[in-house]
Amino acid sequence: MKVVLAYSGGLDTSVAVRWIKEKYQAEVITYTADLGQDINLQEVKDKAIKTGAVKAYVEDAREEFLQEYVFPALKAGALYQGKYPLATALGRPLIAKKLVEVAKKEKAEAVAHGCTGKGNDQVRFELTFMALSPELKVIAPAREWEFLSREEEIEYAKRNNIPVEISKKTPYSIDRNLWGISIECGELEDPWKEPPEDAYQITSSPEKAPASPQYIEVEFEKGIPVSIDNKRISPTELIDYLNIQGARYGIGRIDMVEDRLVGIKSREIYEAPAAVILHSVREALESLILDRESRNFKNLISSKYAELIYYGWWFSTLRKALDAFVEKLSTNLTGKAKIKLSPGQVNVVGRTSPYSLYNMNLATYSEEDIFEHSAAKGFITLWGLPLKVESKIRKP
Ligand code: ARG
């Protein structure tokens, strides 16, 4: 039997290579994508082979990740429970889709992932398999193996000559890509405790941020960021740049208690400077470009869209239908915002667009005012009519 395993190069998935081989008498093929997690693909490939894989696929999927997964989510305004920009949740369907492709190519019968039974990621992987290739068998070693503790797992690794990098050991479980970093476990499990500084991987603390602010102009075209300070750059460069600048100011730290799919509440922290900055730019442009009712309706869509991502329903008809709606509203989402980075926060301090609905002559209180003041009287008479009728019968 051949099994295609989602391989990160870390301890769990390295142990998984060996464990699947033994337990299922299988040939293990690994797949690893660079989604911007600071990884050396050649090293990962070598490690996979050394650990016992018969073949190791590695691929730079950063551009695809941004274009096909992150940008649609950004356009849709997707923030789970109003806060989490969904970095981890968006990476899983991409990786799972790639596993399916490799499995087809290699004529493998099964796919495998290293997720535990307590998290959301197992659901996202497996729902993608079910949507794209339901006949594939799924193996989830971390849900099946007999190790009772981390120590036992490390023992197994040592017995099997799997390199264990003690130097990189941290008390946290960390998942990283271009769109953000998810950090859990260790002291973070106590929701009352402030996250220790060492939990944060890229952001400096706001107390240590530069005191003087930095201004950046970010331009969007049809709902997607395309240039910084009037220079067009690639999506990867753009996100990298905003992550670096935002991180210097301690922007994009998110500390929340979230509701997992499996019914658990968990305390998570995230670092997502670029995501937080870009969502504020998108929101600023929408405020200028969309009419009131479209804006309000879109907010309903945003939270549903975020749930679909979080729940593993990326490859669903509903998600595609919502994409069509968002696409329509994004046709005119072209324009620029001027943002100001200061310690711990990003503020939009200016916005402009060729499609702006903002009309200075209507808004102004100066003598250029063209608003029809007398029309307000009739408007109020009818708008409040139901309240007036009711109040004659009963007081609310
Ligand atoms: N709670 C987040 C989510 O469900 C982050 C999960 C982090 N995953 C991990 N393997 N550390 O999307």
Side-chain angles (χ1 to χ4, degrees), residues 84 88 92 120-121 124 173 175 182 184 258 268 270:
Y84 166 41
T88 299
R92 300 310 183 212
N120 298 313
D121 291 327
R124 296 166 185 151
S173 158
D175 182 70
S182 307
E184 46 196 20
E258 79 187 29
E268 314 259 335
Y270 300 104

Side-chain angles (χ1 to χ4, degrees), residues 98-271:
K98 300 286 187 174
L99 289 187
V100 169
E101 285 166 12
V102 174
K104 290 221 166 104
K105 192 164 155 222
E106 296 286 344
K107 302 198 169 33
E109 270 170 57
V111 281
H113 60 74
C115 310
T116 67
K118 260 182 129 167
N120 298 313
D121 291 327
Q122 50 173 348
V123 182
R124 296 166 185 151
F125 271 111
E126 294 184 32
L127 263 62
T128 303
F129 301 146
M130 290 161 85
L132 301 182
S133 197
E135 68 288 347
L136 282 169
K137 259 212 254 16
V138 180
I139 300 174
R143 251 178 2 213
E144 295 169 29
W145 61 35
E146 50 293 327
F147 313 125
L148 295 175
S149 65
R150 194 83 180 154
E151 287 66 38
E152 279 189 32
E153 191 186 341
I154 292 174
E155 266 317 301
Y156 178 92
K158 287 188 177 149
R159 271 204 314 280
N160 288 283
N161 293 321
I162 298 163
V164 183
E165 290 144 42
I166 301 292
S167 58
K168 283 195 192 153
K169 232 178 125 222
T170 110
Y172 311 108
S173 158
I174 297 168
D175 182 70
R176 175 171 182 174
N177 64 42
L178 274 172
W179 198 230
I181 305 177
S182 307
I183 309 147
E184 46 196 20
C185 302
E187 281 187 57
L188 302 172
E189 286 176 357
D190 180 349
W192 172 248
K193 271 204 185 138
E194 180 173 356
E197 256 326 291
D198 75 348
Y200 293 105
Q201 308 296 307
I202 58 164
T203 53
S204 99
S205 87
E207 289 84 14
K208 295 208 176 106
S212 56
Q214 179 183 352
Y215 291 87
I216 302 177
E217 286 182 15
V218 184
E219 189 174 354
F220 272 50
E221 249 174 46
K222 297 186 189 297
I224 284 174
V226 292
S227 81
I228 296 282
D229 291 330
N230 299 312
K231 256 222 312 286
R232 270 188 109 83
I233 48 176
S234 74
T236 319
E237 288 171 312
L238 188 142
I239 303 294
D240 265 339
Y241 180 78
L242 292 179
N243 273 332
I244 292 167
Q245 301 311 319
R248 293 174 54 221
Y249 283 89
I251 290 165
R253 290 185 167 191
I254 297 161
D255 176 349
M256 67 190 282
V257 171
E258 79 187 29
D259 290 283
R260 284 195 194 165
L261 265 166
V262 292
I264 304 171
K265 279 193 186 294
S266 77
R267 186 328 166 70
E268 314 259 335
I269 61 172
Y270 300 104
E271 293 179 279

Side-chain angles (χ1 to χ4, degrees), residues 30-92:
T30 62
Y31 173 84
T32 310
D34 179 357
L35 299 183
Q37 69 272 48
D38 204 11
I39 193 182
N40 181 323
L41 289 178
Q42 190 57 48
E43 279 175 17
V44 170
K45 187 172 177 149
D46 294 343
K47 186 170 177 186
I49 300 293
K50 255 216 264 157
T51 312
V54 293
K55 206 165 175 183
Y57 284 80
V58 293
E59 174 180 20
D60 179 353
R62 289 176 301 168
E63 188 85 14
E64 180 179 354
F65 177 52
L66 294 177
Q67 300 279 14
E68 309 284 327
Y69 298 79
V70 169
F71 287 167
L74 170 64
K75 262 194 218 178
L79 294 167
Y80 182 65
Q81 299 193 317
K83 286 168 110 172
Y84 166 41
L86 296 155
T88 299
L90 284 161
R92 300 310 183 212

Side-chain angles (χ1 to χ4, degrees), residues 283-318:
E283 202 277 328
L285 292 175
E286 286 177 355
S287 72
L288 207 57
I289 295 163
L290 298 184
D291 65 277
R292 181 183 64 202
E293 295 313 306
S294 296
R295 276 180 87 186
N296 290 346
F297 198 80
K298 189 176 168 198
N299 284 335
L300 304 176
I301 296 301
S302 296
S303 62
K304 188 69 215 170
Y305 199 99
E307 281 169 12
L308 289 179
I309 296 169
Y310 194 87
Y311 296 169
W313 276 57
W314 181 259
F315 290 102
S316 65
T317 300
L318 179 54

